[in-house]
Amino acid sequence: MSKPVVAIVGRPNVGKSTLFNALAGEKISIVKDTPGVTRDRIYADVSWLDKDFTLIDTGGIEPESKDIILSQMREQAQIAIDTSDVIIFITDVKQGLVDSDSKVADMLRRSGKPVILVVNKVDNFDKYMADTYEFYNLGIGDPVPISASSRLGLGDMLDKVIEHFPEHAGEEEEDSRPRVAIVGKPNVGKSSIINKLLGEQRVIVSDIAGTTRDAIDTEIVHNGKEYVFIDTAGLRRKNKIKEELERYSIIRTVTAVERADVVLVVIDATQGVTEQDAKVAGIAHERGKGVIIVVNKWDAIEKNDKTMREYENEVRRVLSFMPYAEIMYVSAVTGQRLPKMFDMIDMVIENQTLRVATGVLNEILMEATAMQQPPSDKGKRLKIYYMTQVAVKPPSFVIFVNDKELMHFSYQRYLENKIRESFGFKGTSLKFFVRERKERDN
């Protein structure tokens, strides 16, 4: 089940990014070799008490004029309304209540989504308490005073945020149908693939002028089995600033990936694999989802006997951080190989949920350490006591060792390769946690 999504909305300079960074903290494990971990981070994983959620900063460009500020804020509020479960609406006690705050508050109120009204920069509760009451006028509930920079009041705010999470967020839901997100940069043929699988043209663009609603879920039945496809297509906004469009599509990709079991990263064969494809794929990789790289428009490529191998080498090179991802070559126009996609999805889900018995894991571990000795440093050698699987989706393992510092990345990768040799785990990343145990615990 996917984690709840919480979005931060507010005017420029009220402290959106400060709050985002305070909540995201240093906990963000940015995988070094994952591209697309953007300079301005847009999303982060946050835990409060026993709840995990994805935090999104809808921020972005800081415009000059008042009119533009309002239209930008409406845009950001719309993103938050479309993609999140709870919205944090942040205002500034020092600037007081501003006209654009009221207009955005109206939009948020009409959306029916839970909104937590936060008044920032209250670095002295006694001094500013009276000023926070003014924000009751927005009519969206009790203002929560905080100071993002001094980290005051954040606990109270988070308590309110998690009250609104769906009861069973994070627990398995009844719906056991495989959920498949189709992601990729614009015009790679995401919708065409879904239309071809459905066997009909559905219209994606909604009636609301200038907007297209968020990810559309489509049920597709194949051989009597139901699949839910989550499509992020339909972003066709004219004259939007490129950076902003990119930010918007990243937010949508994150929320679609979050809800999926398997992610199809669609690449346009005629354009080759690009940095932007790597960004999109990086999101699925960071989130530990099953991944299939779907090279579309394969019918449009001039081929000889080496074409596929050369293409695959190039895809593997650009997406080198996910060597486990499966690759398939399809054409949404001719329907070539599309039916095979379902077998591939089933296989990847099976691998995402595969559990390996501890005894078997430790046999592999013993064999692996016998074949290649664990590294040592200044005369101290890494000892690996045992290993056990602690989770699925993605399969996650804990390795107990005598000294975590001695566990080199390369040796961990070696162990991962040994596990993959034995069990395949095609199409899914594996997560490893290294824990120390003192000698005497043995």
Side-chain angles (χ1 to χ4, degrees):
M1 166 74 183
S2 63
K3 290 186 293 212
V5 175
V6 177
I8 303 177
V9 176
R11 279 181 296 113
N13 308 322
V14 292
K16 289 197 291 291
S17 306
T18 314
L19 178 60
F20 178 85
N21 292 332
L23 295 178
E26 293 310 300
K27 285 202 296 291
I28 301 211
S29 53
I30 291 189
V31 183
K32 287 292 176 290
D33 55 359
T34 309
V37 180
T38 39
R39 297 175 304 287
D40 48 336
R41 278 200 324 262
I42 294 175
Y43 60 92
D45 295 315
V46 180
S47 305
W48 178 247
L49 305 177
D50 56 348
K51 300 277 193 289
D52 296 320
F53 60 93
T54 298
L55 183 68
I56 286 178
D57 179 3
T58 61
I61 293 130
E62 302 290 356
E64 301 303 308
S65 78
K66 284 219 165 49
D67 311 342
I68 304 181
I69 285 181
L70 182 58
S71 69
Q72 292 262 329
M73 278 191 65
R74 285 197 162 131
E75 183 90 3
Q76 289 168 12
Q78 193 58 56
I79 296 176
I81 290 165
D82 288 348
T83 54
S84 64
D85 298 294
V86 181
I87 298 166
I88 294 177
F89 180 34
I90 177 169
T91 57
D92 178 344
V93 76
K94 298 193 172 153
Q95 294 176 25
L97 189 52
V98 178
D99 187 36
S100 53
D101 289 334
S102 311
K103 294 203 165 82
V104 171
D106 290 342
M107 246 180 103
L108 295 175
R109 190 170 47 243
R110 284 197 303 272
S111 75
K113 287 271 170 100
V115 179
I116 310 300
L117 171 59
V118 171
V119 182
N120 191 22
K121 306 191 187 173
V122 181
D123 30 31
N124 177 331
F125 282 96
D126 298 337
K127 187 169 155 196
Y128 290 113
M129 218 42 218
D131 298 333
T132 55
Y133 295 136
E134 175 190 9
F135 291 89
Y136 272 107
N137 294 322
L138 289 173
I140 46 174
D142 301 337
V144 182
I146 66 160
S147 165
S149 57
S150 319
R151 297 174 178 246
L152 295 172
L154 300 186
D156 295 348
M157 177 190 79
L158 288 169
D159 287 345
K160 287 205 158 53
V161 167
I162 64 175
E163 272 171 20
H164 294 285
F165 288 171
E167 261 312 280
H168 302 292
E171 294 173 24
E172 287 304 309
E173 33 180 277
E174 290 306 292
D175 187 352
S176 60
R177 299 175 300 179
R179 304 182 73 83
V180 184
I182 294 209
V183 303
K185 54 182 208 256
N187 303 324
V188 291
K190 300 186 287 284
S191 320
S192 319
I193 289 176
I194 288 189
N195 290 341
K196 193 73 176 180
L197 293 174
L198 266 177
E200 60 184 81
Q201 294 293 322
R202 5 155 252 165
V203 178
I204 291 180
V205 185
S206 69
D207 324 347
I208 302 164
T211 68
T212 42
R213 302 310 292 162
D214 208 55
I216 298 169
D217 289 7
T218 308
E219 286 177 20
I220 296 179
V221 179
H222 177 75
N223 289 347
K225 181 171 173 183
E226 275 187 22
Y227 297 78
V228 178
F229 280 78
I230 304 163
D231 178 11
T232 55
L235 190 64
R236 296 283 177 276
R237 296 185 178 200
K238 300 278 183 291
N239 67 31
K240 276 279 163 263
I241 309 166
K242 181 174 173 296
E243 277 169 64
E244 194 174 305
L245 265 181
E246 196 169 291
R247 185 182 194 93
Y248 187 53
S249 56
I250 287 178
I251 288 177
R252 293 178 53 157
T253 302
V254 171
T255 49
V257 165
E258 199 62 84
R259 293 171 50 220
D261 303 308
V262 175
V263 179
L264 306 181
V265 179
V266 184
I267 289 172
D268 182 334
T270 59
Q271 291 180 6
V273 59
T274 65
E275 214 28 59
Q276 203 180 343
D277 295 321
K279 230 180 214 190
V280 172
I283 293 171
H285 172 70
E286 272 195 339
R287 291 278 180 274
K289 300 294 180 174
V291 180
I292 300 169
I293 296 157
V294 179
V295 182
N296 187 26
K297 308 187 190 178
W298 192 241
D299 55 316
I301 297 283
E302 291 281 319
K303 299 179 201 51
N304 59 30
D305 53 352
K306 298 194 187 63
T307 315
M308 198 177 270
R309 176 167 302 155
E310 286 167 3
Y311 209 98
E312 173 140 351
N313 289 343
E314 182 56 12
V315 170
R316 292 286 181 215
R317 187 185 68 74
V318 178
L319 305 181
S320 59
F321 55 91
M322 46 182 5
Y324 55 84
E326 289 289 287
I327 300 181
M328 59 185 305
Y329 299 86
V330 307
S331 161
V333 177
T334 65
Q336 177 189 13
R337 291 200 195 83
L338 282 186
K340 286 206 173 116
M341 202 182 268
F342 293 100
D343 298 339
M344 186 89 82
I345 289 167
D346 290 346
M347 176 199 75
V348 170
I349 287 181
E350 208 166 287
N351 288 336
Q352 269 257 302
T353 50
L354 184 64
R355 282 188 186 275
V356 182
T358 304
V360 181
L361 271 178
N362 289 297
E363 276 171 32
I364 293 168
L365 187 62
M366 279 170 67
E367 210 169 282
T369 49
M371 280 167 63
Q372 189 174 325
Q373 232 187 2
S376 62
D377 185 36
K378 300 192 182 70
K380 187 173 184 188
R381 184 165 296 286
L382 172 70
K383 270 192 188 157
I384 301 180
Y385 299 125
Y386 72 99
M387 179 180 199
T388 182
Q389 185 174 350
V390 290
V392 293
K393 282 189 174 180
S396 307
F397 304 88
V398 175
I399 305 174
F400 289 94
V401 300
N402 59 337
D403 183 349
K404 205 143 94 178
E405 295 300 306
L406 294 170
M407 174 63 98
H408 290 259
F409 176 69
S410 55
Y411 198 75
Q412 187 172 310
R413 182 155 280 181
Y414 162 72
L415 294 178
E416 174 173 343
N417 291 339
K418 287 290 167 210
I419 290 172
R420 286 187 185 278
E421 275 168 31
S422 309
F423 301 103
F425 280 120
K426 279 182 161 177
T428 178
S429 60
L430 302 180
K431 285 209 163 33
F432 291 89
F433 303 96
V434 180
R435 296 271 184 277
E436 259 174 42
R437 288 185 46 188
K438 294 292 163 268
E439 301 278 344
R440 65 173 184 280
D441 294 353
N442 262 351

